[in-house]
Amino acid sequence: MPFPHWIALLLLGLGYLLALTHGSLGLLALPSLLALFCSGLLVRRQVRWQQTLGHLLFIVLAIALALHWLPGFHGARVIDKAVLSEGAVPFSMYLNLDKPLIGVWLLLACPWLVMLRGRGLAMSLGLILPLTLLACLGGAWTLGLVAWAPKWPDQAWLWLANNLLLVSLTEELLFRGYIQGGLQRLFKHEGLALLLAALLFGLAHLAGGWQWFYLATLAGVGYGLAYRHGGLAAAVLCHACVNLAHFAVFTYPMLALA
C-alpha cells in the first residue's frame, strides 16, 4: 500500500485501540478487524483468484457489519428515544464503530472509487439534487410517511456529523463507488449498473416497508446519476442533503401513524 494508506491505517488502529480501552470495542471484534485487513491485502494482490476471494470476503463482512451482526462493537447511544417532531416515532442514534469500517476498507483497498469529476459537480447539485429531493421527500409526503415539521433541535449538529461522516460517506462508497462502479466495469453499461445499485440500495431499506424500499430506490437513482456526472463527492453531498432536508424540514424519522 502507499505510505499515506499505512498512516491512515495506523491512525485507525490507534482510534480503535482507544475505543477498546474505553469499552466501546470488545476483544470479540478482533477477528472481524483481522478478517477485514486480510481481505484488503487479498484484493491488492495481482493474482485474480486472490482478488476475487478478497472481494467475496469483504462483501460477507460488509453485510454483517452493516446489520450489526458481528460481536464486540458497542456503539454509544447519543440520542435516546427522542421525539423530534410532533407525531413522530421516537428516534435513537448510535455512534457505531462497525458500519464505518466498510467505508474505511473501501478507501484503503479500492482507491479507484474516489472519482474526481469537478465539471459535473455543479450540475449534480443544481439539477439532480432538487429532482431527487422532490421525488423522495415529495413521495414520502404523498404516501403519508412524513409531514411538514421545520426544526433544529439541540441534537441536530451531532446528527449532522454522524449523517455526513458515518452514514452518507460510507453508504455512497459502498453503493455507488464499489457496487455501481464495479458493475459498470463488469457489464460495460452505465445505466444497468446504476439501476442495479439503486435496487440494492432500496433492498437495504426494505425492513422499513415497501414505501421505504420504493423511496430509497428513487434516491439511489438520484445518487447514482450524481455519481456518474460528479463523482463520489457529488453522490455524498446529494445523499447528505436529502437526509438533512428530511431531518430539518419534515417529520423525522417518520409519522407514528404512518
Side-chain angles (χ1 to χ4, degrees):
M1 290 190 298
F3 182 71
H5 285 190
W6 283 109
I7 296 296
L9 197 59
L10 176 62
L11 293 175
L12 177 71
L14 291 175
Y16 274 77
L17 181 61
L18 185 64
L20 180 63
T21 60
H22 283 78
S24 297
L25 190 71
L27 291 176
L28 290 176
L30 293 180
S32 303
L33 295 172
L34 181 60
L36 277 173
F37 182 74
C38 292
S39 65
L41 293 179
L42 284 171
V43 300
R44 301 298 290 269
R45 303 284 292 177
Q46 298 301 318
V47 183
R48 180 58 61 88
W49 73 265
Q50 293 178 347
Q51 293 179 355
T52 302
L53 179 61
H55 284 290
L56 290 175
L57 178 58
F58 165 70
I59 290 171
V60 172
L61 289 169
I63 293 172
L65 288 167
L67 296 175
H68 312 297
W69 285 349
L70 298 178
F73 297 94
H74 313 297
R77 183 162 57 183
V78 293
I79 300 178
D80 186 15
K81 297 180 181 179
V83 178
L84 301 177
S85 311
E86 183 179 354
V89 299
F91 172 70
S92 298
M93 189 181 80
Y94 293 79
L95 296 181
N96 293 306
L97 293 172
D98 45 7
K99 185 177 177 181
L101 287 173
I102 300 172
V104 172
W105 186 94
L106 290 168
L107 286 172
L108 293 176
C110 306
W112 48 267
L113 297 178
V114 185
M115 297 189 307
L116 299 177
R117 295 178 177 176
R119 294 181 179 179
L121 184 60
M123 186 186 76
S124 298
L125 298 180
L127 178 61
I128 298 174
L129 174 57
L131 291 176
T132 306
L133 283 168
L134 180 63
C136 296
L137 297 180
W141 197 351
T142 302
L143 291 170
L145 298 175
V146 299
W148 183 257
K151 61 190 170 302
W152 194 255
D154 294 337
Q155 309 96 323
W157 292 109
L158 182 60
W159 177 92
L160 183 61
N162 179 77
N163 170 62
L164 180 60
L165 299 176
L166 303 186
V167 177
S168 298
L169 178 59
T170 296
E171 292 184 359
E172 290 311 302
L173 278 167
L174 177 62
F175 285 98
R176 253 51 65 181
Y178 187 72
I179 296 178
Q180 183 175 327
L183 290 175
Q184 184 174 320
R185 287 173 173 78
L186 179 64
F187 297 124
K188 309 298 182 183
H189 194 291
E190 289 187 346
L192 179 60
L194 189 155
L195 289 176
L196 288 176
L199 283 172
L200 289 174
F201 188 67
L203 286 172
H205 294 78
L206 186 58
W210 69 266
Q211 300 96 327
W212 290 111
F213 164 76
Y214 167 70
L215 294 171
T217 301
L218 285 181
V221 172
Y223 305 155
L225 288 170
Y227 177 76
R228 179 195 291 184
H229 295 287
L232 181 67
V236 172
L237 287 174
C238 282
H239 192 154
C241 287
V242 170
N243 287 353
L244 177 59
H246 178 193
F247 178 86
V249 181
F250 294 93
T251 309
Y252 193 88
M254 63 183 293
L255 287 168
L257 300 179

